[in-house]
C-alpha cells in the first residue's frame, strides 16, 4: 500500500466536524510520512532487525542524516508523532477544539514528503545520503 493514501483519509477526516475527526487526521498524516519513509529506507537497503522498534528505527535514520532535507523529514516525523500521542491519548487536551492541528499536520506531511521526493529524485544526493547512513548505522 502507498503510504500517501493516508493523506486522502487525513483530508477527509480533517473536513469532519468533531474533535475525533481532527484527532484521527493527525494520526493518518503521521502514518503517511512514516510509511513512505520506511519504504524509502527499505529500498535504500535499511531494514530494521526483528527486535528493533520500527517507528524509532525510521525516525532516527532521518533525525541523524547528513542531508538537511532528510533531517527535516525526521523532525516532521518527531513532531507528528508527539502530536499524534496528544491526539490519541490526551483526550482532555484542548488542542483539538477546531481543525487547525489537523490541517497543519497535513501541510507538514506534504512538505516532508516533498523533501523526501527531492532526495529520491536526485541520484547523487540519494547515493550520498545512503552512504552517510551506512557509516552512521552500520
Amino acid at each position: 500500500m502507498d503510504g500517501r493514501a493516508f493523506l486522502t483519509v487525513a483530508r477527509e477526516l480533517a473536513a469532519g466536524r468533531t474533535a475525533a475527526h481532527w484527532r484521527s487526521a493527525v494520526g493518518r498524516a503521521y502514518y503517511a510520512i512514516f510509511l513512505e519513509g520506511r519504504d524509502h529506507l527499505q529500498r535504500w537497503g535499511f531494514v530494521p532487525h526483528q527486535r528493533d522498534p520500527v517507528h524509532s528505527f525510521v525516525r532516527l535514520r532521518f533525525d541523524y542524516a547528513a542531508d538537511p532535507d532528510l533531517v527535516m523529514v525526521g523532525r516532521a516525523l518527531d513532531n507528528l508523532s508527539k502530536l499524534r500521542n496528544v491526539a490519541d491519548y490526551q483526550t482532555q487536551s484542548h488542542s483539538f477544539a477546531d481543525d487547525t492541528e489537523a490541517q497543519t499536520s497535513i501541510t507538514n506531511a506534504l512538505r516532508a514528503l516533498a523533501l523526501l521526493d527531492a532526495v529520491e529524485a536526485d541520484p547523487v544526493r540519494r547515493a550520498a545520503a545512503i552512504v552517510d547512513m551506512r557509516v552512521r548505522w552500520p
Side-chain angles (χ1 to χ4, degrees):
M1 176 182 161
D2 179 8
R4 292 166 199 257
F6 281 119
L7 283 177
T8 301
V9 176
R11 286 185 186 106
E12 291 169 1
L13 289 165
R17 296 181 176 259
T18 69
H21 289 98
W22 306 322
R23 288 171 180 268
S24 297
V26 171
R28 298 303 89 195
Y30 167 78
Y31 274 102
I33 302 173
F34 166 74
L35 292 171
E36 286 295 308
R38 182 202 62 189
D39 292 350
H40 276 73
L41 289 172
Q42 286 177 349
R43 282 193 299 276
W44 297 346
F46 299 97
V47 179
H49 294 103
Q50 191 171 16
R51 294 184 184 188
D52 287 341
V54 69
H55 290 264
S56 297
F57 178 90
V58 171
R59 282 196 313 265
L60 290 172
R61 293 312 175 279
F62 291 117
D63 280 342
Y64 293 103
D67 186 286
D69 284 348
L70 294 181
V71 171
M72 295 304 294
V73 170
R75 286 187 185 152
L77 279 166
D78 290 336
N79 293 336
L80 277 174
S81 175
K82 290 174 188 169
L83 188 58
R84 181 179 68 93
N85 284 333
V86 171
D88 289 345
Y89 303 117
Q90 297 177 22
T91 56
Q92 300 305 313
S93 170
H94 298 289
S95 298
F96 295 92
D98 60 28
D99 70 341
T100 302
E101 293 288 6
Q103 297 295 345
T104 300
S105 295
I106 293 166
T107 299
N108 291 341
L110 288 167
R111 286 183 185 143
L113 290 171
L115 295 172
L116 193 55
D117 290 345
V119 173
E120 181 68 30
D122 184 335
V124 174
R125 257 179 100 184
R126 183 180 63 240
I130 293 169
V131 167
D132 174 70
M133 285 182 183
R134 289 202 195 293
V135 170
R136 292 176 194 254
W137 305 92

